[in-house]
Structure formats: structure tokens, C-alpha cells
């Protein structure tokens, strides 16, 4: 008999899981309290950058990111084909810029361990960097180049995912407001007081990003997921002067095919507030000018913010609960949810098909690792 999955949350994670589950023959209903893609996923810079984002060691999170990067070429084609919508997927590579001689040693050790994991990176001196990025600041003394990192235009990617879900037969109910969890053991039942409807399924997948932490009571467990606001801005450039994704220790700059230069991002604690502050954007403006002096004289034409779903140990909650076969989590992807969307969808679908393809690799992401209530 076809199993029916209720997916809670219509961000990139919920939509990706819904799409993959539907492709594998599950019945899927996605429940969204607001608008699909209306939170962190639509706000993201869209970088697929496992090496630039993981600079310490090859831990389980890094390996998950890498697996997802490798899934992207096929995954993005599948989303485009199923949705009939195009979105930018650009294999520009990235540059991590250095300003001080003291940075070179740290970059070299990062290069050594990451090259053991397919980075194929290259340490560039100032002249080589300037040849690749002619407008870079004169203070930059070199960069680490990762040719395999890429990016998507996140708002369009999420729109295409939503359309791919609809076209393949995922039932999407949005604008539901806060919902009540009525059952999560031995089946799933969720009620929306706003719509007056009750939704039933065999499985409940919790994929509601930064809001997952509000569900401790409902599931009787510790869920230390909380929102970290990212303020971000974009400049309009007539001819794209930046060729790569360019990182420094304080932020990043990514040129999009539509002529916008996206620059991010703050990491501040403001509860569930998604407004931008003058202070937050001013800090970005100051760093953008230090990376690319031509930005020093410009003002962003667009400023916005989103809520990254952070966790206490930096790892997402991904997998099935020990206490119930009917409940799974896919939440807490923090800075890398766009990158991690294909692998998350594959892991969830494999688990529900009874194919535990990730095995011990998933242990660090166990949803109940922070404790359950007696
Ligand atoms: C400024 C910024 C830049 C970023 N840049 C990148 C990047 O370059 N690369 C990258 O990989 N990642 C990036 N991220 C991180 C990425 O955006 C997130 O990790 C990702 O979007 C998380 O997806 P999600 O679906 O879990 O959460 P969300 O997109 O927040 O979606 C969760 C959804 O659940 C809904 N919801 C909440 N509670 C309920 C409920 N009870 N019932 C029903 N629905 C509910 C919400 O309304 C929301 O739509 C960035 C984030 C920010 C803020």
C-alpha cells in the first residue's frame, strides 16, 4: 500500500524532500504555515560551497555537504525538467581571499586536508588573483581557489522546486498559520485551526527550519534549533565585474546572472525578526568595499534578511526518531540548507524506503541526541 507522508514546512528542505518522496512513489501532502520559500530559503545567497564553509576538519557535516554538492548536477536538472522552470546554476568556482602573510600557513593546511576530499584547490599569489579578479582590492595578497564550488539563484530554485512538487502530484496546503500536532506515533495527524482542516498520513516529516525548536512540547524532546538572522544586500551592476564567488573572513560576494551582486551576511540574534538594521547593512557595506573598492562608492538597491536554523552542536537533526517509526526530522541546516537540499531529500527517501544508505554516517545527526522527556 502507498505510504502517505505529511511534510511540515515549505522551505527548500521540505520541498526537496516532498519532491524526492513523490518521485519514489509516496503520497505527499506539504503543510506550510505561510508561503512556500517565504523564509530562509528564499533569502539565501545560494552558494554551494562545502570547502569554503567547512574550514576546520573533515567531519560528518562536511562529508554530508560534499555528498550533496556531488548530487547537484543531476538534481538541478531533475528539478528543471519536472517544473518546466529554469533557474541559475553556475559553476564559477570560488576564491577565499587573504590579506596577511600570516593567513598563508592556515590556507595551506586547509588546502592539504581538503584536497584529500576532492577540492582540487590552488593557492594563488597576488598577481594570479588579480588576473582572475581584476577588480579585487590592492590589499589582497592572494587567495585559495576552489574550482568545484558553484551557486544557484535561490529564489528561483525554490520556486522551481514548488512547481516541480505541484506538477508531480504533491498536495500543497499553504497559508495555514500555526498548526496543532494531534498524532505522531502510529501515524500522523495535524490540524490547522485557520483552515479548519485535519490532515492525516502514515509519516510526519518535520522540516520547518528555525521554527522546529518551538515543537519541544509537541514531541516531548529537546530541540535546540533557534533562528540566527542573516542580513544581506545586493547591488545592481550593468556589467558583472565579479567572476567568482569571493569569500573573506568577514563575508562573501556572489555575482548573479541577472546582473545583481549579492553580498552577505550578518549573523545576529533577533528572535524571529526578519527586518534589516542600518548597523547590519553598514557593516556589510564596509566589508564589501574592502573586498572590491568599486563597491565603496555604491549603495545596495535591495536589502533583506532571513532566519538560519541553527543548532547547539552545529549539525542538523536528520533521521527517524527511536520512539516512533512515524516521525522524522530534517531541520537545523543553518548556513548550508540550499547546498544540503538534495542529500537531505535522498537520505529521507532512502530511510522511508527502508534503504539505510547512509548507515553510521547519520549517527551524529540523530534527532533525539539532545534528550527526550521521560
Ligand atoms: C542571508 C542568508 C544567506 C544564506 N546563504 C546560504 C547559501 O549561500 N548557501 C546555503 O546552502 N544556505 C544558505 N543559507 C541557509 C539556508 O537558507 C537555510 O539553511 C535553508 O533555507 C533552511 O531551509 P529550511 O527549509 O529548513 O527552512 P526555511 O526556508 O526557513 O523553511 C521553513 C518553513 O517552515 C515553515 N513553518 C514553520 N513552522 C511551521 C509549522 N508549524 N507548520 C508549517 N510550516 C511551518 C516556515 O513558514 C518556512 O516556510 C542562507 C541563509 C540566510 C538567512
Amino acid at each position: 500500500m502507498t505510504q502517505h507522508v505529511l511534510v511540515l514546512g515549505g522551505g527548500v528542505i521540505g520541498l526537496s524532500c516532498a519532491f524526492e518522496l513523490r518521485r519514489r512513489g509516496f503520497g505527499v501532502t506539504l503543510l506550510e504555515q505561510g508561503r512556500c520559500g517565504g523564509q530562509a530559503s528564499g533569502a539565501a545567497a545560494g552558494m554551494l560551497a562545502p570547502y569554503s564553509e567547512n574550514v576546520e576538519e573533515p567531519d560528518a557535516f562536511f562529508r554530508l555537504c560534499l555528498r550533496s554538492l556531488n548530487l547537484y548536477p543531476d538534481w538541478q536538472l531533475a528539478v528543471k525538467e519536472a517544473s518546466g522552470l529554469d533557474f541559475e546554476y553556475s559553476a564559477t568556482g570560488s576564491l577565499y581571499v587573504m590579506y596577511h602573510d600570516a593567513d598563508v600557513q592556515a590556507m595551506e593546511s586547509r588546502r592539504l586536508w581538503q584536497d584529500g576530499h576532492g577540492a582540487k584547490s590552488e593557492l594563488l599569489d597576488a598577481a594570479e588573483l588579480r588576473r582572475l579578479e581584476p577588480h579585487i582590492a590592492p590589499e589582497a595578497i592572494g587567495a585559495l581557489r576552489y574550482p568545484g564550488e558553484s551557486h544557484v539563484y535561490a529564489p528561483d530554485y525554490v520556486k522551481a522546486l514548488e512547481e516541480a512538487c505541484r506538477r508531480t502530484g504533491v498536495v500543497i496546503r499553504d497559508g495555514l498559520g500555526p498548526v496543532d500536532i494531534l498524532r505522531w506515533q502510529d501515524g500522523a495527524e495535524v490540524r490547522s485551526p485557520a483552515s479548519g482542516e485535519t490532515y492525516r498520513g502514515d509519516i510526519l516529516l518535520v522540516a520547518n527550519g528555525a521554527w522546529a525548536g518551538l515543537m519541544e512540547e509537541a514531541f516531548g524532546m529537546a530541540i535546540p534549533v533557534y533562528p540566527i538572522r542573516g542580513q544581506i544586500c545586493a547591488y545592481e551592476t550593468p556589467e558583472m565585474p565579479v567572476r567568482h564567488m569571493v569569500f573573506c573572513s568577514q563575508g562573501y560576494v556572489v555575482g548573479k546572472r541577472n546582473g545583481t551582486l549579492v553580498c552577505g551576511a550578518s549573523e545576529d540574534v533577533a528572535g524571529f525578526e526578519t527586518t534589516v538594521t542600518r548597523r547590519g547593512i553598514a557593516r556589510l557595506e564596509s566589508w564589501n568595499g574592502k573586498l572590491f573598492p568599486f563597491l565603496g562608492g555604491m549603495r545596495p538597491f535591495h536589502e533583506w534578511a532571513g532566519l538560519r536554523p541553527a543548532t547547539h552542536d552545529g549539525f542538523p537533526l536528520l533521521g527517524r526518531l527511536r520512539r516512533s517509526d512515524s516521525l522524522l526530522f530534517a531541520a537545523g541546516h543553518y548556513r548550508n540548507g540550499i547546498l544540503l537540499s538534495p542529500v537531505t531529500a535522498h537520505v529521507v527517501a532512502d530511510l522511508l524506503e527502508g534503504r539505510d544508505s547512509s548507515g553510521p554516517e547519520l549517527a551524529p545527526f540523530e534527532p533525539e541526541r539532545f534528550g527526550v522527556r521521560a
Side-chain angles (χ1 to χ4, degrees):
M1 208 181 73
T2 307
Q3 283 218 307
H4 198 97
V5 185
L6 299 182
V7 177
L8 206 64
V12 73
I13 299 298
L15 289 166
S16 298
C17 293
F19 174 55
E20 185 62 21
L21 286 167
R22 189 70 200 116
R23 287 209 294 170
R24 299 210 201 168
F26 288 84
V28 185
T29 301
L30 184 143
L31 308 173
E32 163 56 49
Q33 67 177 9
R35 184 171 55 80
C36 286
Q39 295 293 343
S41 304
M47 296 177 301
L48 313 176
Y51 302 109
S52 302
E53 286 280 331
N54 294 275
V55 299
E56 301 295 338
E57 52 171 343
D59 60 12
F61 185 72
F62 168 75
R63 291 194 295 275
L64 195 70
C65 288
L66 212 51
R67 213 175 128 192
S68 212
L69 182 74
N70 292 330
L71 288 171
Y72 245 99
D74 288 347
W75 172 261
Q76 54 91 26
L77 280 178
V79 176
K80 285 174 180 167
E81 197 183 325
S83 64
L85 296 177
D86 195 18
F87 56 87
E88 178 178 5
Y89 168 67
S90 289
T92 54
S94 69
L95 300 168
Y96 204 112
V97 173
M98 298 176 281
Y99 289 94
H100 309 287
D101 290 338
D103 298 336
V104 177
Q105 198 53 45
M107 289 292 181
E108 181 56 19
S109 51
R110 191 197 294 187
R111 194 183 71 74
L112 283 175
W113 75 257
Q114 290 184 334
D115 276 4
H117 296 270
K120 300 192 176 101
S121 61
E122 185 187 5
L123 212 46
L124 307 177
D125 65 19
E128 290 163 331
L129 169 60
R130 223 140 268 126
R131 192 174 51 77
L132 293 183
E133 282 297 345
H135 300 285
I136 200 83
E139 292 80 12
I141 63 155
L144 192 55
R145 173 173 171 262
Y146 297 110
E149 295 194 327
S150 44
H151 61 99
V152 292
Y153 189 68
D156 288 351
Y157 168 45
V158 179
K159 252 185 234 141
L161 270 173
E162 182 182 349
E163 184 62 18
C165 283
R166 290 187 192 278
R167 288 197 187 187
T168 50
V170 173
V171 176
I172 297 184
R173 294 274 184 265
D174 52 12
L176 291 182
V179 294
D180 299 324
I181 310 294
L182 304 182
R183 189 151 60 99
W184 54 274
Q185 277 166 321
D186 253 342
E189 207 171 313
V190 174
R191 199 180 117 74
S192 157
S195 75
E197 286 180 328
T198 298
Y199 309 94
R200 292 184 186 83
D202 304 294
I203 307 285
L204 178 63
L205 172 67
V206 178
N208 62 346
W211 290 262
L214 303 178
M215 312 201 83
E216 294 197 331
E217 202 63 44
F219 302 122
M221 59 190 268
I223 310 175
V225 178
Y226 52 94
I228 296 289
R229 181 171 61 180
Q231 301 186 47
I232 181 165
C233 63
Y235 299 83
E236 232 165 0
T237 52
E239 268 173 52
M240 181 47 65
V242 177
R243 301 170 182 171
H244 301 76
M245 293 185 282
V246 182
F247 291 84
C248 69
S249 59
Q250 303 295 318
Y252 53 78
V253 171
V254 195
K256 298 293 179 183
R257 203 182 285 157
N258 66 4
T260 63
L261 200 54
V262 175
C263 305
S266 76
E267 284 183 282
D268 49 81
V269 179
F272 287 92
E273 187 61 57
T274 53
T275 48
V276 295
T277 64
R278 184 82 282 274
R279 187 159 169 258
I281 297 298
R283 196 187 145 273
L284 291 179
E285 286 175 322
S286 145
W287 265 100
N288 297 338
K290 283 180 189 151
L291 261 180
F292 289 103
F294 72 87
L295 288 175
M298 291 172 71
R299 279 300 308 272
F301 81 105
H302 184 30
E303 301 166 0
W304 68 100
L307 302 173
R308 303 182 190 90
T311 62
H312 275 176
D313 61 4
F315 285 5
L317 280 67
L318 178 57
R320 206 192 281 269
L321 259 66
R322 272 169 293 168
R323 290 171 299 149
S324 168
D325 277 350
S326 311
L327 184 59
L328 278 87
F329 270 74
H333 294 72
Y334 194 39
R335 292 173 59 97
N336 288 286
I338 303 293
L339 167 63
L340 288 167
S341 52
V343 78
T344 302
H346 275 78
V347 164
V348 165
D350 284 353
L351 284 172
L352 289 184
E353 281 186 335
R355 289 198 280 133
D356 189 357
S357 59
S358 311
E361 283 286 295
L362 280 187
F365 310 126
E366 241 222 1
E368 287 163 306
R369 67 185 180 276
F370 301 103
V372 295
R373 297 201 187 130

